[in-house]
Amino acid sequence: MKKTIILVLAVVMCVGLALAGCAPANEPAAEEPAAEEPAAEEPAAEEPAAEEPAAEESAADEPAAGGGGYKLGVVNVNAVYPYYQATLSGMEEQAAKENVELIILDSQGDVGTQMSNVENLILQEVDLILLINVGETDGGQCVETANAAGIPIFALSRECKGSQEPTASIVTDYTVADGFAYDMAEQLGGEGKICEVQGVLGVSNVTLRHEALEKVLAENPGLELLDSQPGDFDPATAQAVAADMISKYPDMDAFYVHDDDSSMGVIQAVKDADKQDSIKIFSTGGDPSAMAAIQAGDLTSTWAILTGWEGAQSVHSAVAYLDGKDITKFIVTPSLRVDASNVEDYPGDYCWYTTEWEQFPLID
Amino acid sequence: MGNNQTTLAQNFKKAMGGKSIYIIAIIFCVVLAFATPLFATQQNIINIMLQMTIVGIAALGQTYVIITGGIDLSVGAMITFAGCVSIDLLLRYGMWVAIVGTLALGILFGFINGFIVAKARIEPFITTMAMSMIIKSIMLVYTDGYPRYVREGVTEANPNFGDDFLQIGGGKVFGGLPVPFLILVIAAVVLGILLSKTRFGRYVYAVGGNKETARLSGINVPWTQIRVYIICGLTAALAGVVYAARIGTAQTTMGDGYELKAVASVAIGGTPLAGGRGSIDKTIVGALIYTVIANGLNLLGVSSYYQDLATGIIILVAVIINERSLRKQ
């Protein structure tokens, strides 16, 4: 009887592996992008920070032959973050248009797993790797490993610092953090008492957003930073931190929140304290929940990053590179302010999932 | 003929007694080799060696702790701390100071853990969880939240700065054997002999089996406990150094979750969390299975949404089979 049970369990295990092998490859189908056309008028934000194509740099070293039909390996930073799922959706949409196969692996926010994923993609002989890096200093060895294998690698979302440059970078670097911080200063008229709810300490985008705030504070003596605490990108933690800040600084004017998820917690803390009229909340991301909060009057603004566009651009650039064309090697993903004045133009998940922006066409 | 078959089967069962985890590992590898032609390639075998290293080294010390009936939840924080400190010391003083200094810190943290568990008689779960928080906080203060990376030290005068350190994580010896895997093998052999062939090793099992009986037998239970936590701190620090050398960088979240990966490897290897039994070789097989699952699912192109589901089921089935086999034995 025991032998039978063990045999059955062994069979179950093998079947489990086999089923796993039959499970849908890569990520589930992307959400459909919002159907609305982009608003004709310019958004109330600065121009996107995309650099001009670097014409002097030829990107083609040894491209694979033929247009389309390429196999691109994608290393996603963490599948649990909807922001990056929107990036993947943009990739999938563009990949379908350009006849490209995507192999998507998840690093689960772990640098070691990220490195393993790059090794696994090299083994699978992909034509090019799109790396959504865990942190801007965490991908250096990945770039060296890919270069050693002769496989081009693009850095997405954040730069790859190291001894070797990635083939191209399509990132939301300091210019996006600056955009968010300067926009808050502009909306406050250069005056006010601020509390900062950070993300996870030590993560590179958190560092960039904090540094951007420090820069803005240095340039605007009327702005005062009362307190700065980590909210860990977690609404519950952010709510607790924000509630304590409101108690400690009842005359505060605004929250500078590092992401839209945390903002949901901060909004609740402000509501609990009945301070909706006196405290403004500035957030960043462009999360669909933030759009709803702006429409409801709970959130002052969010600095929306066009993450779906970034995904589409990465595939577009990858195919162009593999076709042997010159490509722009450093692109900053566009971002813009969404507030009560223009939120109707960008409903729901529009900022994240729409890749066909009239004002932000894909760059060659 | 029938008797011969019975004898053969009995001999096989006797030879494989308590070794079902090896059979499970072999089944995994064979199934995956048939499922994807990429699995059994030389490059993928090297990849697996590399990918199991960090968890494997961390799991070695965790095995000692778990055999005594304890658990060390500060392993992940120690890996992070070791990674950050090793690169910082590398940038300031060079490779050997980085390695020796980091390992010494691992021993120190391990000693503190062991001392509190053994002398203050605080539950290991609480002690090491609190230590994990303390280490993380010290690390944030130490690094100011900024990541460190090896190539920071590159200058025009020294364009190859860090190459020697990076060899620890990415170098190859003997015609292709990854250096980190060699480190894992050496550490496993040393700790395996220490556990199975020495008086101290017998004390470890005795403490895990029954502390009171061990004490009455004349074993210095607190000192044995302190020593196993020191070993765990040392292996966590070693894992952190190898990890930093493998990826060339260290940031304040790099070790998150590794304490549970190490515990999972130990458990898959058949060491019960209640303590009293277990071995280093089976922990290595546990780490191998853990790594092979992730590697195999990636090569099969399984969506990351399904990977944890598949991993969870496979681990559960493997542990059930192994546990039943051990009970039968």
Side-chain angles (χ1 to χ4, degrees), chain A residues 20 26-27 85 110 112 202 211, chain B residues 145-146 243 246 258 302-305:
Chain A
N26 305 320
E27 302 299 329
Q85 291 306 111
D110 176 48
E211 286 176 347
Chain B
Y146 284 87
Y243 194 174
R246 175 159 153 70
Y258 273 81
V302 177
S303 159
S304 51
Y305 286 0

Side-chain angles (χ1 to χ4, degrees), chain B residues 91-145:
Chain B
L91 293 168
R92 291 168 193 259
Y93 307 111
M95 184 174 78
W96 292 108
V97 173
I99 295 170
V100 174
T102 305
L103 297 184
L105 280 170
I107 290 171
L108 175 67
F109 283 128
F111 174 80
I112 296 170
N113 269 337
F115 189 83
I116 296 170
V117 168
K119 296 291 187 185
R121 297 191 180 182
I122 308 293
E123 280 295 319
F125 185 94
I126 299 298
T127 303
T128 57
M129 189 180 71
M131 181 56 75
S132 172
M133 296 162 85
I134 291 166
I135 293 172
K136 277 184 180 175
S137 187
I138 293 172
M139 186 178 54
L140 282 169
V141 173
Y142 181 74
T143 62
D144 204 19

Side-chain angles (χ1 to χ4, degrees), chain A residues 201-202 207, chain B residues 80-81 83-88 92 135-148 250-253:
Chain A
L201 294 180
T207 306
Chain B
T80 307
F81 190 82
C84 292
V85 168
S86 63
I87 291 186
D88 192 61
R92 291 168 193 259
I135 293 172
K136 277 184 180 175
S137 187
I138 293 172
M139 186 178 54
L140 282 169
V141 173
Y142 181 74
T143 62
D144 204 19
Y146 284 87
R148 299 284 153 91
Q251 40 105 329
T252 53
T253 56

Side-chain angles (χ1 to χ4, degrees), chain B residues 260-327:
Chain B
L260 295 181
K261 289 180 184 176
V263 170
S265 297
V266 177
I268 294 169
T271 303
L273 295 185
R277 60 181 161 86
S279 67
I280 291 293
D281 57 325
K282 288 176 184 168
T283 290
I284 292 294
V285 177
L288 174 68
I289 290 174
Y290 193 89
T291 306
V292 162
I293 292 170
N295 174 268
L297 293 175
N298 278 344
L299 295 185
L300 287 167
V302 177
S303 159
S304 51
Y305 286 0
Y306 291 89
Q307 286 202 5
D308 282 348
L309 174 71
T311 305
I313 291 171
I314 292 167
I315 287 175
L316 273 177
V317 173
V319 170
I320 289 168
I321 292 173
N322 194 36
E323 194 60 28
R324 291 189 71 88
S325 163
L326 288 170
R327 275 188 211 157

